[in-house]
Amino acid sequence: MTRKPILLSLLTYLIIFLNAVTVQAQSIGELVSEDPFADFQTPLNKLQTTWAEKGEGLNHDYYPRPQMVRSGWINLNGQWDYAILRKGEGMPHEYDSKITVPFAVESSLSGVGRSVGKEAELWYRTNIKIDNKLRNGNVLLHFGAVDWESEVFVNGKQVGIHRGGYDPFSYDITDFLISGAEQEIVVRVWDPSDDGPQPRGKQVKEPHAIWYTPVTGIWQTVWIEPVPKSYIQSVRLEPNLDQSEFKIQADVKHAKSGQKIEVVVFAEGVEVGKGEFGAGSEGNIKLASVRTWSPEDPFLYDVKFKLKSGNKTLDEVKSYSAMRKISMAKDSNGINRMMLNNEFVFQYGPLDQGWWPDGLYTAPSEEAMLFDIEKTIEMGFNMIRKHVKVEPANWYYHCDRLGVLVWQDMPNGDHGNNWESRPGIAGYGTEKERTVESETIYKNEWKAIMDALGHFQSIVVWVPFNEAWGQFKTKEITEWTQAYDKSRLVNSASGGNFVMEGSKITGDIIDLHNYPNAVMPDPGIYGKDQIIVLGEFGGLGMPVSGHTWQEKDNWGYQSFSSKSELQKKYGELIESMIPLIENGLSAAVYTQTTDVEIEINGLMTYDRKVIKFDIPVLKALHDRLYSVKVGFGK
């Protein structure tokens, strides 16, 4: 390949500077208000989705942890008290007004729409009523995600502090409950946005170009769950297709001697595997029959875990998994290819940032969240790159259920790197010298994200770094990621900040970004050791009047004024990719699923009301990519 497209790509970045598990709340306890949204009215916003306008499903009352389902839970979403105080002032005596959880305070769906910043803290308070039925075991308080530092108090006593904006966390609040039904929960949140070193994705205090509105506070579901004294804390199923078995792990909290974990695997209701292990130990379950998971056939096995003492069942959770394998293998020309279930499948999908005009990080409802995935499939994509953001667990469940391959980015933070040109290397930048605190924050949250998402077999690629944004110790981070999860591939540096070990790039993948045209690194140089992918391209923009974040000065890599012109150029991009696939390209990511704030590069508008392309045309174009034949063997 020539150097010109790569240099143009780098210049571009310099210019811009960068089952269906739905369980309703059980009647184990009750909230103060039977309908926490009874008095809530969506505030006016310059751009809203249909789901926000309808006001349905805003409580996010679907079961929030599909990988480990228990029958009883209490949804604490709804209207809480809130206050914004100067950092360090302490717990407020009075609260400003009401905020709607789980929407960030900056969003319109929160009912607030206020910024916070590094000099202030956001406080939440709610009162709940808990029946005596909860007191028979332990009571867990779960948070899907809170950005960024949170401190939780129950009945005036500190329960714990969590630092991390993208990973779920829980507290056992049993010992903090007081006599009587009514209990108080208070949460303090501090989020310095881009003034801090923490992972924060595209959030900046002054949004512009590809950088968006900050997200502060609770942005995923808050819920309470009753559990026994000894209970299953987490489960993990890792498929081994070549051995026709699942590696099983179940962690037990407060395990006692002699307790066992019984695991049964079902295929369409028929038992196909069973095993029993010591509580907290690992084991393997061989399957009597194997049906692989793929975009064409996203088959899921149901799995039941029981914690037993003798013949007595102490705890039971329902789960699921998929039998799939992601790997690399050389084609007949000696070029590494990305393989799914030991076969080459070209992976093609949009860059999906997961932002909403009314909810910011939080989709208005599960129906809205599902809409993006379903439209992606209808358009003929078989993959999604989740870009510098993490979604609620149900998003990944739906990808598992519907058959969408996922590349999961680590949200970036602590910027300050500079691009450089190095002869013979497709992309190169300096590594960030981060403080010990900054490095520790990154490593802790990356591990927590991998732990939280490792269950979801739709995820086939981990992406620790994007375009040198805060990139540091690339070799160390990449090798740790590869060692920690051997069941997936690792794309160490999406966009070109590659680290060389002699002539070999660290990680499994060499990933180039280029706008707007489809290009790839020279397979003769890079394809012998790495899988070749085009991690971002396209960015074809078209503003749609009445559906933009602002009336003018919207931004795109290349803008068009009509659907016909836009679609014609897109078709040319797809056609140009076919010879690249033949020569060694294994995957590509088109920018992007939707417009986001002033970016108008989406396949859909930001409010999801207008799809800018004809869906059948897109699907027909994409089917051509999957039909390209690649030879294997001599």
Side-chain angles (χ1 to χ4, degrees):
M1 61 175 283
T2 64
R3 297 289 299 165
K4 184 176 180 181
I6 297 167
L7 292 175
L8 286 174
S9 176
L10 298 179
L11 286 172
T12 300
Y13 280 102
L14 289 172
I15 290 170
I16 66 172
F17 184 60
L18 308 232
N19 271 336
V21 180
T22 304
V23 183
Q24 301 298 320
Q26 305 297 308
S27 57
I28 297 174
E30 59 178 353
L31 300 172
V32 174
S33 169
E34 292 184 1
D35 181 3
F37 283 80
D39 301 319
F40 174 70
Q41 292 185 348
T42 303
L44 294 176
N45 187 51
K46 54 190 170 185
L47 196 65
Q48 283 193 319
T49 61
T50 301
W51 303 279
E53 291 170 347
K54 290 190 301 184
E56 298 175 357
L58 302 181
N59 199 31
H60 287 258
D61 57 359
Y62 53 88
Y63 190 81
R65 191 187 56 203
Q67 67 270 40
M68 201 174 85
V69 178
R70 288 190 179 91
S71 59
W73 69 295
I74 303 172
N75 184 351
L76 300 187
N77 293 340
Q79 293 193 67
W80 294 36
D81 300 322
Y82 89 93
I84 298 176
L85 301 178
R86 288 191 62 81
K87 189 175 187 295
E89 281 192 13
M91 193 177 295
H93 300 293
E94 296 181 354
Y95 286 78
D96 298 343
S97 188
K98 297 291 185 179
I99 185 170
T100 303
V101 172
F103 298 102
V105 67
E106 295 89 350
S107 72
S108 65
L109 280 176
S110 72
V112 180
R114 290 175 60 185
S115 60
V116 181
K118 69 174 181 178
E119 303 299 335
E121 292 172 328
L122 171 63
W123 290 84
Y124 295 83
R125 181 183 66 186
T126 190
N127 291 315
I128 64 172
K129 292 181 180 179
I130 297 180
D131 291 346
N132 287 332
K133 295 176 183 179
L134 284 177
R135 309 298 181 97
N136 295 328
N138 288 34
V139 180
L140 305 182
L141 174 61
H142 297 283
F143 293 84
V146 182
D147 197 354
W148 171 69
E149 177 185 273
S150 62
E151 183 176 13
V152 176
F153 303 84
V154 173
N155 297 316
K157 295 183 178 180
Q158 186 202 60
V159 178
I161 296 176
H162 178 79
R163 304 178 89 195
Y166 299 93
D167 57 306
F169 59 98
S170 305
Y171 297 111
D172 186 334
I173 62 171
T174 310
D175 295 339
F176 296 87
L177 301 178
I178 59 177
S179 60
E182 189 162 306
Q183 314 290 325
E184 181 192 59
I185 299 172
V186 172
V187 181
R188 175 192 64 83
V189 177
W190 176 65
D191 178 19
S193 189
D194 53 327
D195 286 323
Q198 81 289 348
R200 40 94 178 173
K202 292 290 194 77
Q203 304 175 57
V204 294
K205 61 182 180 293
E206 297 180 2
H208 61 282
I210 63 169
W211 309 104
Y212 317 135
T213 303
V215 172
T216 301
I218 299 169
W219 66 275
Q220 289 186 30
T221 291
V222 185
W223 55 295
I224 278 181
E225 179 182 36
V227 295
K229 293 295 184 181
S230 296
Y231 62 93
I232 300 170
Q233 183 171 242
S234 65
V235 300
R236 179 75 177 267
L237 298 99
E238 184 177 305
N240 186 331
L241 176 61
D242 296 332
Q243 297 298 321
S244 302
E245 65 183 19
F246 283 112
K247 179 181 177 182
I248 306 290
Q249 181 178 346
D251 291 331
V252 177
K253 191 73 172 180
H254 307 307
K256 295 183 179 180
S257 177
Q259 291 178 349
K260 300 284 187 179
I261 290 287
E262 178 186 274
V263 185
V264 185
V265 182
F266 301 91
E268 297 180 320
V270 178
E271 182 180 314
V272 293
K274 185 175 183 178
E276 190 174 83
F277 319 100
S281 63
E282 296 181 356
N284 297 305
I285 292 181
K286 197 87 170 179
L287 300 185
S289 60
V290 171
R291 183 171 167 185
T292 57
W293 179 98
S294 69
E296 294 75 26
D297 182 21
F299 180 77
L300 300 177
Y301 291 90
D302 295 316
V303 185
K304 185 178 291 185
F305 288 80
K306 289 183 178 180
L307 174 62
K308 305 184 75 172
S309 179
N311 292 324
K312 183 180 180 181
T313 297
L314 305 175
D315 190 19
E316 179 176 332
V317 298
K318 295 178 181 179
S319 188
Y320 73 93
S321 194
M323 184 58 67
R324 70 101 183 97
K325 176 184 177 182
I326 189 73
S327 60
M328 70 169 76
K330 293 187 185 299
D331 64 18
S332 54
N333 294 318
I335 305 301
N336 273 310
R337 298 286 187 161
M338 193 180 297
M339 311 291 282
L340 179 66
N341 304 328
N342 297 319
E343 296 181 356
F344 174 65
V345 175
F346 184 74
Q347 297 189 23
Y348 183 54
L351 191 77
D352 191 309
Q353 309 209 57
W355 284 74
W356 300 82
D358 34 37
L360 299 180
Y361 258 15
T362 310
S365 65
E366 184 182 32
E367 182 184 357
M369 178 173 62
L370 187 56
F371 177 86
D372 280 6
I373 301 172
E374 291 177 332
K375 289 302 174 186
T376 298
I377 295 171
E378 288 177 26
M379 292 175 187
F381 295 102
N382 65 2
M383 175 263 281
I384 293 172
R385 180 182 170 199
K386 181 51 62 175
H387 189 43
V388 297
K389 187 205 173 190
V390 174
E391 294 290 353
N394 266 62
W395 187 89
Y396 299 93
Y397 163 69
H398 288 306
C399 290
D400 285 352
R401 180 178 66 86
L402 296 173
V404 183
L405 299 158
V406 176
W407 296 12
Q408 179 61 54
D409 288 11
M410 170 63 177
N412 55 281
D414 206 354
H415 290 194
N417 308 38
N418 295 309
W419 285 100
E420 297 180 352
S421 295
R422 296 286 181 92
I425 300 178
Y428 199 91
T430 60
E431 289 199 305
K432 170 77 173 178
E433 291 187 9
R434 298 171 77 153
T435 65
V436 173
E437 179 192 28
S438 176
E439 288 189 11
T440 301
I441 288 170
Y442 174 98
K443 291 175 181 177
N444 287 345
E445 191 152 4
W446 185 221
K447 179 181 180 298
I449 289 170
M450 291 179 65
D451 287 340
L453 302 184
H455 169 89
F456 302 105
Q457 297 307 320
S458 53
I459 300 176
V460 293
V461 175
W462 296 120
V463 187
F465 297 112
N466 178 78
E467 291 182 1
W469 296 348
Q471 188 171 336
F472 73 103
K473 296 183 177 177
T474 308
K475 183 175 183 294
E476 174 189 326
I477 298 297
T478 300
E479 291 180 352
W480 179 88
T481 304
Q482 289 175 308
Y484 194 64
D485 185 357
K486 296 182 175 65
S487 69
R488 294 173 170 91
L489 298 172
V490 178
N491 183 359
S492 66
S494 183
N497 190 20
F498 305 118
V499 174
M500 308 290 289
E501 298 180 78
S503 61
K504 184 179 178 181
I505 296 170
T506 188
D508 301 311
I509 294 169
I510 179 167
D511 177 330
L512 177 67
H513 294 180
N514 192 82
Y515 289 96
N517 297 322
V519 299
M520 73 176 189
D522 187 338
I525 298 175
Y526 300 106
K528 305 298 183 182
D529 295 313
Q530 263 72 37
I531 297 165
I532 298 172
V533 308
L534 176 57
E536 292 180 27
F537 83 109
L540 306 181
M542 186 180 76
V544 179
S545 179
H547 300 276
T548 55
W549 185 249
Q550 59 190 31
E551 290 186 7
K552 59 181 181 178
D553 298 327
N554 293 290
W555 181 89
Y557 288 96
Q558 184 177 5
S559 294
F560 297 84
S561 58
S562 70
K563 177 190 280 191
S564 60
E565 292 177 352
L566 178 69
Q567 203 153 270
K568 179 175 182 294
K569 176 61 177 179
Y570 184 83
E572 292 170 357
L573 293 181
I574 297 301
E575 288 298 321
S576 71
M577 209 186 309
I578 291 174
L580 301 182
I581 300 171
E582 294 170 340
N583 290 328
L585 189 67
S586 281
V589 178
Y590 177 81
T591 301
Q592 61 189 338
T593 305
T594 71
D595 297 345
V596 184
E597 299 201 353
I598 72 166
E599 271 193 87
I600 42 81
N601 302 309
L603 297 159
M604 300 183 282
T605 55
Y606 197 15
D607 57 11
R608 277 71 167 174
K609 292 179 179 177
V610 178
I611 297 175
K612 303 179 189 180
F613 294 78
D614 294 320
I615 289 180
V617 171
L618 285 181
K619 189 176 186 310
L621 286 170
H622 299 161
D623 285 346
R624 284 179 49 76
L625 301 178
Y626 309 132
S627 64
V628 175
K629 301 299 182 183
V630 174
F632 287 85
K634 295 182 179 179

